[in-house]
Amino acid sequence: MNDSVQATAPFIEIDAELCKGCKLCIGVCPKGVIDISEKLNGSSYHPAYYLGRDCTGCALCFYACPEPAAIKVVKP
Amino acid sequence: MKITEKPVAFYPEFVRKSGPHKETTHYCPGCGHGNIHKMIAEAMVDLGINERTVFISPVGCSVFGYYYFDCGHMQAAHGRAPAVATGIKRANPEAIVISYQGDGDLAAIGTAETLHAANRGENITVFFVNNAIYGMTGGQMAPTTMIGQKTATTPRGRIESVHGNPIRVAEIIATLPAATYVERVAIGDSKHIMKARKAIRKALTNQVENRGYSFVEILSTCPTGWKMDGPDARDWLVEEMTKVFPLGVFKDESDHREGAWHRQVEPFDPAKRDAYLGAGEAEAKAEKLPLPAELHCKFAGFGGQGILTLGLFLAQVGMRAGLHASWIPSYGPEMRGGTANCSVNLSERRIGSPLVDKPNLLVVMNQPSLEAFAGDVVQGGTIIVDTSIVEKCPEYPGRRVVRIPATGIADEVGTPKVANVVLLGAICAATGAFPQAFVEQSLRETVKKKDLVDLNLAALRRGYEHVGDAG
């Protein structure tokens, strides 16, 4: 994915260190573009991560996520 | 470009939170509190109210609300958040007051406060987070626990005939005429969450526009207490909880109460409060009787001997003299015969705490009190002992011990009931605290039954004389 595509397509950022791996974002994502990592983060959770494509910027994951700062949604 | 991220009504870092993780909440993975906090924080920003919001934290998992929200905070005793919210709102009508409570706090120990605040139609916003269990204490049955639901205290499930039924609080609140807006929402699936977001905003908007009492019950999850993972807990909420706790608006009179909430509250004025309480008058008095030394006194004896009244009387004499005075009693449940004590402070300066741990004056009217408190008296302090009752009174190095058969003297004067007045005379003589004429005048003005004035004066004089003679 090049820079110009990133600037026009919606995307999410998940802070792996702030994620507690509850998987609620995965359940609500209408596009199924969030998955759970096999790696552990510093708090011993398997954090969620964005697959890197097809996000619509609907922000449902943001509201389903109980952590204040784990998910950021950008919709250009 | 639209960026949806952590609302600025949250602190950038949660510095009040203990431990190393200052950017995450203390809540378990998948807990609903985080979602609800987020939506409240977002609404606070969008309505521009975070600078004037006061968030009342309950007892329960959300007890640490003050870790997260960048607004005013007050911690309430268990269940008392609506009462505290009432006080804050009435004292500061401009404040946006949020009472955030769980099911144990709101529907068990705080049921009375909840109903009465709603019934008074306080212009506050109550968010009731109902997850059908006591989360913080380890997953016990709550008032809203469902029939058949297994908890730590209902291991075979809640049984109707034994434990009663889950309480539907929103429906109950909706019956109260003064409530403005009552809705039950959930944070199950995305649709639910977005509806909850709307209800939270409406409940806060109502308060901003002075439309009165708003109550939003939010069905939430406790994955840890329910022993489920996050998604299973959300599914259970949607499939099971909503059957018992139907979602929807139970009452909405928001549109009929716009900007015209019935209670005109006078703004809080500290000067008026002080005038009402008479504070400041002591300072204003030109004449203060000087006090040779600050008095930090402990009075102790059996209930019924008049020991508490003695302390109170000394404090009143001090107040008449223009001094700062405090009196605080401590006694058991018995009206007579139990042990009782009180603490009295007299000072020319303001008194910080009414408690007296290290007295410089101890007055005792029984043996156990002498033994309990004599060791606490500071060096150079005075111990006054009613030797009519206290049989063994040793010396206490570095302390002056004044022995006076107060009850015997009182009996000679007319009745043992005035033993405390004999002791008052002894106290004033021993400490040089007040001129005798001043104390006598105070006594004349304080004794309610005027035919007993002479008896009391006689007792007081005998107390003065005894110490003077010994002296």
Side-chain angles (χ1 to χ4, degrees), chain B residues 123-330:
Chain B
N123 188 23
I124 60 174
T125 303
V126 178
F127 293 123
F128 170 36
V129 181
N130 176 5
N131 61 12
I133 205 161
Y134 278 81
M136 186 184 71
T137 48
Q140 293 84 0
M141 190 193 86
T144 52
T145 292
M146 308 214 298
I147 298 298
Q149 187 184 341
K150 289 181 180 174
T151 70
T153 44
T154 54
R156 289 180 213 90
R158 181 173 187 163
I159 302 162
E160 184 183 2
S161 60
V162 180
H163 310 114
N165 283 291
I167 295 178
R168 296 185 179 103
V169 183
E171 285 87 335
I172 295 172
I173 301 279
T175 65
L176 301 173
T180 297
Y181 166 55
V182 183
E183 180 168 2
R184 181 184 290 119
V185 294
I187 51 157
D189 57 29
S190 284
K191 271 188 187 167
H192 287 149
I193 292 174
M194 299 321 274
K195 267 198 172 174
R197 180 169 174 262
K198 211 174 143 196
I200 286 168
R201 298 167 92 84
K202 176 165 176 150
L204 287 170
T205 304
N206 274 354
Q207 188 179 164
V208 171
E209 295 174 355
N210 293 314
R211 294 172 198 252
Y213 180 91
S214 295
F215 181 93
V216 179
E217 176 171 342
I218 306 165
L219 301 185
S220 185
T221 57
C222 180
T224 305
W226 295 357
K227 305 190 193 322
M228 296 178 192
D229 72 4
D232 286 351
R234 301 288 164 131
D235 288 347
W236 192 77
L237 186 164
V238 174
E239 286 158 24
E240 302 299 331
M241 274 187 85
T242 54
K243 285 182 199 161
V244 177
F245 300 105
L247 305 181
V249 177
F250 294 94
K251 183 175 189 187
D252 188 2
E253 297 189 5
S254 308
D255 292 342
H256 311 302
R257 297 186 177 175
E258 184 178 357
W261 189 232
H262 63 264
R263 186 179 298 109
Q264 293 297 317
V265 184
E266 252 185 82
F268 177 66
D269 180 356
K272 271 192 183 168
R273 173 201 59 194
D274 290 351
Y276 179 73
L277 294 174
E281 282 176 17
E283 277 101 325
K285 271 191 190 171
E287 285 177 50
K288 262 189 202 176
L289 283 178
L291 192 64
E294 280 190 6
L295 284 178
H296 306 291
C297 323
K298 182 73 91 176
F299 297 84
F302 290 123
Q305 285 179 308
I307 197 81
L308 300 184
T309 309
L310 171 57
L312 188 60
F313 197 78
L314 183 69
Q316 286 170 337
V317 174
M319 287 166 71
R320 284 167 179 273
L323 298 167
H324 291 278
S326 72
W327 171 83
I328 188 167
S330 166

Side-chain angles (χ1 to χ4, degrees), chain A residues 20 62-64 67 73 75, chain B residues 2 4 25 27 35 38 42:
Chain A
K20 291 176 177 169
F62 174 82
Y63 292 104
E67 279 303 317
V73 182
K75 193 174 184 181
Chain B
K2 183 172 166 40
T4 311
T25 66
Y27 298 117
N35 303 87
K38 216 176 202 175
E42 189 189 49

Side-chain angles (χ1 to χ4, degrees), chain A residues 37-61:
Chain A
S37 172
E38 287 183 11
K39 291 179 194 161
L40 290 171
N41 68 10
S43 304
S44 301
Y45 296 120
H46 289 286
Y49 72 99
Y50 174 45
L51 294 179
R53 54 177 165 75
D54 298 339
C55 173
T56 62
C58 70
L60 292 180
C61 58

